[in-house]
Amino acid sequence: MHPWLHFKTITRHKLLVMHYCFRAGMYKQGLLHDLSKYAPVEFLVGCKYYQGDRSPNNAEREDTGISKSWLHHKGRNKHHFEYWIDYGVGDGRDGQEPHRGICGMKMPIRYVAEMYVDRVSASKNYQRDKFRTDSPLQYYLKGRKYYILNEDTRAMLELLLVMLAVKGENEVNHFLKYEVLKGKVPYEKEYLINLRKNLEKDSAYHLEEEQ
C-alpha cells in the first residue's frame, strides 16, 4: 500500500488540471475535476496498485481482470469520452450516420476541452522532465483505433492534440479560451479535420483518416 505516494500523484494531477482549466476560464470544472478519486472505492485501489509512472487502474486490470475503480470513475466524470458511450438511436440525428449499436455520443464542448486538459496533465504528471509537446498525441495514437468516440468529438480532440504538438501550449490555451469555448469554431468533423490538416503541413504529424 502506498497511500501517501498515491495521494501526491492524484493531487499533483488535479493541480495541473486546475491550472490549465483556470487559464481557459473553466473555473468550476477545474475545481471539481476528478474529486471521485478521493472516494474510498477509487482511492484505496490506487493505494494498493500504485505505479508512479502509469495509472493504477491498469495494474488492477492485470491483477483481477477488471478495474472497479475505473468503472466507478468513468461513470462520474464527464470529461471522459467513455462516460458518453451509449446505444445509438438509429435516426441519423445531429447529422451522424444512423447507428443502432454502441457508439459515442457528441460530448458538450466544455468537456472536450477538459478531456484535452486532462490528457496533457496526465502526461506531464507521469513523464515529468521527459514530457514533450507531442507526448499526449503519441499516447492517444497508441489506442486511437480502439476508442469509441463520436466523429465530431474525435475531430476536435485530435485537432487540439496536433495543435499542441505543432504550436505549443500557449497557442492551444488561447485557441480554447477565445475561440473554441466562445463558440467561434464549428464543432463539426469536416471543418475540424481541415484545420488539423493545415496544421500538419510541413510537420512530422500526419494522422490517417479512419475508415
Side-chain angles (χ1 to χ4, degrees), residues 18-143:
M18 286 175 61
H19 171 75
Y20 289 111
C21 278
F22 287 3
R23 288 186 66 180
M26 300 187 296
Y27 302 107
K28 182 178 179 180
Q29 285 173 253
L31 291 171
L32 297 179
H33 181 87
D34 275 358
L35 286 180
S36 70
K37 284 186 177 180
Y38 298 91
V41 65
E42 295 186 33
F43 186 78
L44 293 178
V45 169
C47 295
K48 180 179 180 180
Y49 293 101
Y50 175 79
Q51 303 291 295
D53 57 356
R54 63 174 183 143
S55 171
N57 293 336
N58 290 330
E60 184 189 15
R61 288 189 193 96
E62 293 166 0
D63 184 36
T64 68
I66 187 173
S67 176
K68 293 182 179 179
S69 173
W70 168 245
L71 294 178
H72 182 273
H73 186 79
K74 74 179 181 68
R76 289 158 179 80
N77 294 275
K78 297 180 181 179
H79 62 277
H80 288 292
F81 69 82
E82 293 90 345
Y83 178 97
W84 300 93
I85 294 174
D86 200 354
Y87 290 99
V89 293
D91 63 1
R93 68 178 61 183
D94 295 330
Q96 302 298 318
E97 291 294 323
H99 195 317
R100 293 191 180 277
I102 291 178
C103 58
M105 302 294 109
K106 187 171 183 176
M107 293 174 62
I109 196 64
R110 67 182 183 278
Y111 294 122
V112 182
E114 188 180 353
M115 174 167 59
Y116 160 79
V117 167
D118 183 54
R119 287 173 172 271
V120 174
S121 299
S123 292
K124 287 194 168 191
N125 199 26
Y126 286 126
Q127 293 185 309
R128 303 295 179 99
D129 294 339
K130 296 180 181 179
F131 175 84
R132 305 189 322 174
T133 56
D134 70 341
S135 295
L137 175 63
Q138 297 301 336
Y139 182 83
Y140 168 83
L141 291 176
K142 289 179 181 179

Side-chain angles (χ1 to χ4, degrees), residues 79-81 107 109 111-120 136-137 140-141 144 147 149-165 172 175-176 180 187 192-193 196 199 207:
H79 62 277
H80 288 292
F81 69 82
M107 293 174 62
I109 196 64
Y111 294 122
V112 182
E114 188 180 353
M115 174 167 59
Y116 160 79
V117 167
D118 183 54
R119 287 173 172 271
V120 174
L137 175 63
Y140 168 83
L141 291 176
R144 185 189 188 212
Y147 296 150
L149 271 164
N150 170 272
E151 292 180 349
D152 295 333
T153 298
R154 181 188 297 275
M156 178 61 81
L157 177 61
E158 292 182 351
L159 169 63
L160 295 173
L161 293 175
V162 169
M163 183 179 291
L164 174 65
V172 183
F175 181 66
L176 269 180
V180 173
Y187 187 10
L192 297 169
I193 288 177
R196 195 199 77 222
L199 285 172
L207 276 62

Side-chain angles (χ1 to χ4, degrees), residues 6-17:
H6 178 60
F7 176 81
K8 288 199 300 182
T9 298
I10 63 175
T11 301
R12 184 174 188 272
H13 171 74
K14 180 166 177 56
L15 291 174
L16 284 169
V17 170

